[in-house]
Amino acid sequence: MSWLHFAVFTPFLFTLFVPLLNKSFRRVHTGWFVLIIPLLLFVYFLGYFPLDPAMAPVIHSIPWIPSLDIHFTLHLDGLALLLLLIITGIGALVVLYSIYYMSMEREALHNFYIYLLLFMGAMLGIVLSDNLLVLYVFWEMTSVSSFLLIAYWYQRGRSRYGAQKSMLITISGGFAMLLGFLMLYTASGTLSVRELIAMSSQLSEHGLFLPAMLLVLLGAFTKSAQFPFHIWLPDAMEAPTPISAYLHSATMVKAGVYLVARLTPVFGGNIEWFWIITTVGAITLFWGSFMAIRQTDLKALLAYSTISQLGLIMCLLGIGSNALNADYSEQALLFSGAALAAIFHLFNHSIFKGCLFMVIGILDHETGTRDIRKLGGLMGIMPVSFTLTVIGGLSMAGLPPFSGFLSKEMFFTGVLTAARNMNDWLVVLPIVAWVASILTFVYCLILVFRTFTGKYQPDRLDKTPHEAPIGMLIPPGVLALLVIVFFFIPNVVGASLLRPAMHAILPQLVADGGTFDVHISAWHGFTMELAMTAGIIALGSLLYIYLKKWSGIYDNLPRRFTLNNLYDSGLNSIERASLRFTNTYMTGFLAHYLSYIFIIMICLTGGTLLGQGVFALNMENNSEIAPYEYVLGISMVIAAVFVVFSTSRLMSIIAVGAVGYIVSLMFVLFRAPDLALTQLVVETITTALFLLCFYYLPKMRRELTRLRFKLSSLVISLGVGISLTLIGLSVQDHNLFEPIKSYFENSYQLAGAKNIVNAILVDFRAFDTMLEIVVLFTAGIGVYNLIKLRQARRNEK
Amino acid sequence: MELLMALVIGVLFAVAVYLMLSRTLLRIIIGTVILSHGVHLLLMTMSRLKRGAAPIMEEGNLAYTDPLPQALILTSIVISFGVTAFMLVLAYRAYQSLGTDQMDELKGEKEHE
């Protein structure tokens, strides 16, 4: 148990105290107590900060289930540290923000903060885990806590819908990922990421390598809202805004990106990895930015913008992984620039998107709406919020002097590198990236100018807007400040945070002691990237100005074939199909269920007898048949068949009794006196019981069933009869070993009994007899209770 | 003899299954009774028929029939008797409370449609 383990467990431990604090300090906002945790953790993780570029990873391990090779191994390297600082830093700001956002009087704050802390702990666990199964445990914990947070206002139908949707999608992805992890374990024999990296070159020849890669990617894509699994993210916007800011922009959706970055050293050398991630990322990038323009709800706009930006990061990680590909190793350093751009943008996006969500929350809080059509002209009323939105929005659009500009330029460098050095088809990639960036620019302008400039419509707002309290403005203010600061000193971040992270993503490149040269600058000279940015600004502005003229194309999109409809109707039809299926065979008729049992029995026994060639007819050793034995057999058959056709209950009883007595006579023939005796007595009593009961039961009617049912019953019963006959005949030929009867013939010496059957019953195998007595006893008690219970009820009445 | 018994057993099973697939509670119970007869005879037949004397020791007898299946069948007869008695009383009680002995009327209301 190290301090690092303690740091991961701290949020979980603190959840125990949250309800207590909430109850005992009714006048203090519970958030103030919770704020301590992310702050402490942030400071603690800052302690690892002054790193040398090739930071030696900090590893602490405690055994959890050693027999299954599951160890609670924590592994802190550059990549983990970057995310840890984002999680705890933005976590602290979000908690501070939520203190002002969440009302102390109206909300169940203890629930809110418990879920939030659970999420924070789980996220720390994902980032620090070295063991894949431990990572999976934390992964699912983020899904569950996110589910709880989305449905925080569980009285609303939309919240529950969004929570269920995100749960179904992320958990399905999680299961796929678990399967992938298990495949990796089968292929490599280890669950440790570090050991997997060490043996990545042998691994890629294993047959399970590619399936494992696909399944793990499925998990990463569902979590990071990549196309076509992005549909849960816009619906997750029903969560309180601090949650949207924290989970659905800065942290949880980065888990998939983190996983891809973390496993790049394992899978990265394969071209499939590059193609899948880059393609999916590019599609997501384009589709997210395209759909964002259409949204009228500010949070939905930000959700699609998050999707788009995550696609961008994925795309860059895909290109970056090519640095490990042997075919392109000459350009390795060029490709590694894309990976650097990915993590730099990951960092930037967390900051500006957190800031933007918080400002939208302020707008919602102060005006009562998030609808763009109702907002407008708020610049003069809320100047601080306006400034923060401009900073966040323009950073997202990729304009100087904001840090988003830097990562955007690096993004273009990345896609251009891919287009220049690889397949000719990849020329498409910079074009897609460029168009998506133009669309990004347009929705950023919509975000900033539609809400704050234009006509002020006070009559359409629920509240009289005014500037937010200072406490609510501090967290987005801090983030906005960082956006500007990082533009001017990007290399401080680059050297201290990004460089160690690069060492974690592409360790093979620096195996011989080298380091990455991380140098980010705002000015590259007159390059292609700059021209692209200029084009974005020009075209984007034009598109924004003439937005009304071309936004009609969104109405022409086929409504029925959207992914959301596909999801909804898919879910519905699964439900309906399974209901229909269940109703088909679960009819409630005993006859149907018995038919299933008998049909399966016929198929199994008959199939085995005939299919396996077990059936044999060997009459050699058969004993001879006396004529009167024929008579017995035939009369038994007649009696039995008579029961089927009888419509009188008395005649049926007599026929059943006749069958029983003939069985008893058979036992006499087969030299079984005890059996004959017992059968005689039992048959008599059973017949008496039948008579007793039939006296109370209604007259037996003709079977009023359809002919088809009768025919199918006939076929089934004949099938059972025939297969049992065949079994009875085949046994004669299969004398596997001698019977053990000679042992029982010692009954006089061993048990002092001359009647061997009785000796077996009470001496050799007396346990059977004892339990048979218990059965009889239980049946007696059952009969007694059945009759007594009715009387008791009658007496009550 | 084994051939004859196998055929008789087949008929017993077919009759029992046909009765069990019917709609009347009584026929189903009769079906189970006949089914247990079939099982007992099958047990007997599978252990070879009529080889030697009854398994009671007497002077001068060297070969007995196999006593073990007989012991098994004896146990089975008693158990099936107990179960049959219980089922009969259950049918009687069901008829008393519900007023029907038709299986499809005992099915109850459809719940999920």
Side-chain angles (χ1 to χ4, degrees):
Chain A
M1 190 83 181
S2 62
W3 280 109
L4 203 57
H5 282 100
F6 188 71
V8 172
F9 292 132
T10 310
F12 297 119
L13 290 175
F14 196 74
T15 54
L16 300 175
F17 300 103
V18 170
L20 210 68
L21 292 168
N22 188 47
K23 270 269 186 307
S24 33
F25 299 95
R26 300 242 47 130
R27 306 181 63 191
V28 186
H29 198 287
T30 316
W32 290 112
F33 301 111
V34 177
L35 185 60
I36 303 166
I37 300 297
L39 273 181
L40 272 180
L41 288 173
F42 185 70
V43 172
Y44 172 70
F45 289 126
L46 270 184
Y48 287 97
F49 189 66
L51 308 160
D52 64 298
M55 165 191 188
V58 182
I59 295 161
H60 294 285
S61 184
I62 46 175
W64 183 16
I65 314 173
S67 56
L68 295 178
D69 199 17
I70 298 175
H71 301 271
F72 216 115
T73 310
L74 299 183
H75 170 262
L76 198 159
D77 60 1
L79 181 62
L81 186 65
L82 177 70
L83 274 135
L84 289 175
L85 291 176
I86 291 175
I87 293 163
T88 51
I90 297 190
L93 292 174
V94 161
V95 172
L96 179 64
Y97 177 78
S98 72
I99 292 171
Y100 292 92
Y101 187 87
M102 304 296 284
S103 156
M104 207 161 72
E105 290 82 27
R106 288 189 308 258
E107 306 285 5
L109 285 177
H110 51 294
N111 290 353
F112 181 81
Y113 286 113
I114 285 176
Y115 303 158
L116 188 67
L117 283 170
L118 278 181
F119 171 79
M120 196 182 289
M123 203 63 211
L124 295 179
I126 288 185
V127 171
L128 281 170
S129 291
D130 178 58
N131 191 291
L132 287 177
L133 282 184
V134 176
L135 191 149
Y136 172 73
V137 170
F138 284 119
W139 186 275
E140 292 300 25
M141 248 152 100
T142 62
S143 295
V144 171
S145 51
S146 160
F147 168 79
L148 291 169
L149 283 165
I150 295 170
Y152 176 69
W153 288 307
Y154 53 83
Q155 305 87 344
R156 302 180 187 171
R158 291 293 305 166
S159 300
R160 296 197 300 270
Y161 172 78
Q164 189 200 33
K165 194 175 190 178
S166 76
M167 180 85 161
L168 284 177
I169 294 178
T170 53
I171 297 260
S172 322
F175 278 145
M177 191 183 84
L178 176 63
L179 206 60
F181 286 170
L182 294 178
M183 283 182 178
L184 274 182
Y185 181 61
T186 315
S188 68
T190 177
L191 281 169
S192 157
V193 178
R194 281 173 300 131
E195 289 168 27
L196 280 172
I197 292 173
M199 58 196 296
S200 59
S201 51
Q202 302 105 281
L203 251 185
S204 58
E205 271 130 47
H206 198 279
L208 283 175
F209 184 71
L210 204 60
M213 178 200 287
L214 294 174
L215 288 168
V216 169
L217 278 181
L218 208 57
F221 288 163
T222 48
K223 198 74 161 186
S224 282
Q226 297 295 299
F227 189 89
F229 309 110
H230 64 276
I231 50 173
W232 66 267
L233 191 63
D235 283 305
M237 290 302 130
E238 297 299 323
T241 303
I243 297 312
S244 309
Y246 188 42
L247 271 69
H248 306 126
S249 70
T251 50
M252 185 172 108
V253 288
K254 301 279 172 21
V257 175
Y258 165 78
L259 190 74
V260 169
R262 174 59 83 206
L263 295 180
T264 294
V266 181
F267 295 110
N270 294 68
I271 198 76
E272 292 91 351
W273 178 261
F274 160 79
W275 277 107
I276 296 170
I277 295 178
T278 311
T279 316
V280 171
I283 295 173
T284 314
L285 164 67
F286 174 77
W287 188 247
S289 60
F290 179 66
M291 291 302 283
I293 296 175
R294 183 192 193 179
Q295 308 303 320
T296 52
D297 179 12
L298 285 172
K299 271 176 95 175
L301 187 149
L302 284 185
Y304 277 104
S305 113
T306 303
I307 292 168
S308 163
Q309 304 279 312
L310 286 169
L312 187 157
I313 299 172
M314 276 291 181
C315 183
L316 281 172
L317 279 176
I319 298 170
S321 74
N322 253 329
L324 300 177
N325 196 324
D327 296 347
Y328 300 103
S329 51
E330 310 91 78
Q331 296 102 339
L333 279 176
L334 279 176
F335 283 117
S336 72
L340 177 66
I343 48 171
F344 189 40
H345 196 70
L346 185 153
F347 182 69
N348 280 337
H349 176 254
S350 301
I351 291 170
F352 66 67
K353 194 51 71 67
C355 168
L356 284 174
F357 264 109
M358 289 180 191
V359 180
I360 300 303
I362 291 173
L363 273 176
D364 191 10
H365 215 256
E366 304 306 333
T367 63
T369 183
R370 299 193 308 250
D371 195 327
I372 295 182
R373 291 164 298 189
K374 293 183 185 172
L375 294 167
L378 295 170
M379 187 161 68
I381 301 161
M382 304 170 79
V384 185
S385 307
F386 172 66
T387 317
L388 297 176
T389 316
V390 168
I391 296 171
L394 295 187
S395 178
M396 184 155 77
L399 293 189
F402 309 109
S403 59
F405 172 72
L406 303 174
S407 44
K408 200 77 152 202
E409 295 276 283
M410 289 161 74
F411 166 56
F412 289 143
T413 316
V415 287
L416 287 172
T417 308
R420 279 175 193 147
N421 294 308
M422 293 184 71
N423 199 316
D424 287 341
W425 284 100
L426 280 172
V427 178
V428 183
L429 197 58
I431 296 170
V432 170
W434 189 61
V435 174
S437 299
I438 293 172
L439 295 172
T440 306
F441 188 79
V442 174
Y443 72 68
C444 290
L445 291 185
I446 293 177
L447 176 69
V448 175
F449 292 112
R450 281 289 160 88
T451 29
F452 287 99
T453 61
K455 207 161 90 244
Y456 176 47
Q457 305 159 298
D459 47 318
R460 297 184 73 178
L461 302 178
D462 301 338
K463 298 180 185 170
T464 326
H466 53 80
E467 189 55 89
I470 181 80
M472 223 167 173
L473 289 170
I474 289 175
V478 170
L479 292 174
L481 201 64
L482 288 180
V483 167
I484 300 177
V485 167
F486 288 145
F487 176 78
F488 289 106
I489 51 160
N491 289 315
V492 175
V493 189
S496 55
L497 270 179
L498 302 185
R499 192 138 61 143
M502 286 298 290
H503 281 261
I505 297 175
L506 302 168
Q508 282 98 328
L509 282 194
V510 286
D512 45 356
T515 59
F516 283 100
D517 177 33
V518 174
H519 183 74
I520 305 164
S521 76
W523 182 249
H524 297 285
F526 294 99
T527 54
M528 183 75 182
E529 291 87 338
L530 197 68
M532 284 167 88
T533 308
I536 287 169
I537 296 172
L539 270 174
S541 309
L542 273 177
L543 278 177
Y544 175 70
I545 292 164
Y546 296 109
L547 184 63
K548 282 225 168 60
K549 297 215 167 130
W550 63 275
S551 60
I553 57 161
Y554 286 106
D555 303 328
N556 296 330
L557 287 179
R559 295 240 162 160
R560 289 192 52 199
F561 299 106
T562 58
L563 287 165
N564 269 320
N565 274 343
L566 204 69
Y567 166 84
D568 288 334
S569 59
L571 210 59
N572 273 333
S573 46
I574 287 175
E575 248 171 57
R576 261 183 287 125
S578 52
L579 184 68
R580 208 178 304 148
F581 177 64
T582 310
N583 281 341
T584 321
Y585 77 94
M586 299 275 277
T587 51
F589 287 107
L590 180 69
H592 289 169
Y593 302 150
L594 283 176
S595 311
Y596 307 150
I597 296 173
F598 287 132
I599 289 171
I600 291 172
M601 194 195 109
I602 294 168
C603 293
L604 288 183
T605 54
T608 315
L609 276 175
L610 302 175
Q612 305 278 318
V614 187
F615 174 68
L617 192 57
N618 182 2
M619 313 278 279
E620 280 173 21
N621 297 319
N622 280 7
S623 43
E624 76 294 349
I625 315 173
Y628 59 91
E629 290 169 343
Y630 276 118
V631 175
L632 273 184
I634 289 165
S635 47
M636 186 141 142
V637 167
I638 291 172
V641 175
F642 178 78
V643 180
V644 176
F645 294 104
S646 158
T647 48
S648 140
R649 45 186 186 173
L650 198 62
M651 296 305 279
S652 323
I653 303 166
I654 291 171
V656 176
V659 172
Y661 290 128
I662 297 171
V663 169
S664 155
L665 280 179
M666 295 271 189
F667 287 148
V668 174
L669 290 183
F670 300 150
R671 319 280 194 271
D674 298 286
L675 283 186
L677 193 65
T678 316
Q679 179 65 33
L680 207 65
V681 174
V682 163
E683 196 54 43
T684 311
I685 300 175
T686 312
T687 311
L689 267 176
F690 266 110
L691 286 172
L692 199 67
C693 282
F694 281 18
Y695 179 73
Y696 292 99
L697 290 173
K699 282 210 156 49
M700 209 186 245
R701 284 174 290 175
R702 280 185 79 84
E703 280 283 296
L704 297 170
T705 43
R706 278 174 303 164
L707 189 67
R708 214 180 66 180
F709 185 72
K710 271 190 186 173
L711 274 179
S712 66
S713 300
L714 190 70
V715 170
I716 292 172
S717 49
L718 284 180
V720 173
I722 290 168
S723 42
L724 263 297
T725 304
L726 294 184
I727 291 176
L729 289 175
S730 306
V731 212
Q732 310 302 328
D733 195 46
H734 295 274
N735 207 359
L736 296 177
F737 42 79
E738 277 301 301
I740 55 169
K741 67 176 178 182
S742 56
Y743 175 76
F744 295 115
E745 279 163 12
N746 298 326
S747 73
Y748 189 68
Q749 289 92 318
L750 292 171
K754 288 190 169 173
N755 186 329
I756 304 176
V757 174
N758 288 2
I760 292 174
L761 284 173
V762 298
D763 194 301
F764 294 118
R765 296 176 59 94
F767 264 119
D768 286 357
T769 313
M770 185 180 80
L771 294 175
E772 157 201 343
I773 291 167
V774 173
V775 169
L776 212 55
F777 179 69
T778 315
I781 288 179
V783 168
Y784 177 79
N785 277 336
L786 273 177
I787 290 168
K788 207 63 179 169
L789 211 65
R790 180 193 54 158
Q791 280 176 350
R793 201 178 296 160
R794 218 178 255 168
N795 290 345
E796 269 173 34
K797 282 174 188 167
Chain B
M1 191 70 209
E2 278 83 351
L3 176 67
L4 176 71
M5 285 315 291
L7 291 172
V8 170
I9 289 162
V11 171
L12 283 184
F13 268 95
V15 166
V17 168
Y18 188 83
L19 287 172
M20 285 168 81
L21 289 174
S22 65
R23 299 164 72 189
T24 324
L25 203 48
L26 297 173
R27 284 173 184 268
I28 295 173
I29 297 175
I30 293 176
T32 59
V33 170
I34 294 180
L35 192 76
S36 55
H37 287 323
V39 172
H40 298 157
L41 287 180
L42 184 64
L43 274 174
M44 202 78 210
T45 309
M46 293 202 319
S47 65
R48 301 291 159 95
L49 299 169
K50 298 207 285 187
R51 310 216 169 194
I56 295 172
M57 291 190 168
E58 282 170 27
E59 289 298 321
N61 252 333
L62 288 175
Y64 301 105
T65 53
D66 195 341
L68 187 59
Q70 296 193 13
L72 296 182
I73 294 169
L74 198 64
T75 310
S76 164
I77 288 175
V78 175
I79 290 173
S80 59
F81 165 68
V83 174
T84 307
F86 183 77
M87 278 202 299
L88 274 171
V89 176
L90 198 63
Y92 159 67
R93 283 286 290 114
Y95 182 65
Q96 292 268 313
S97 322
L98 305 169
T100 180
D101 67 334
Q102 298 292 304
M103 284 313 289
D104 41 350
E105 288 169 24
L106 287 171
K107 205 176 84 145
E109 300 297 314
K110 286 202 167 186
E111 283 166 26
H112 299 291
E113 282 173 49

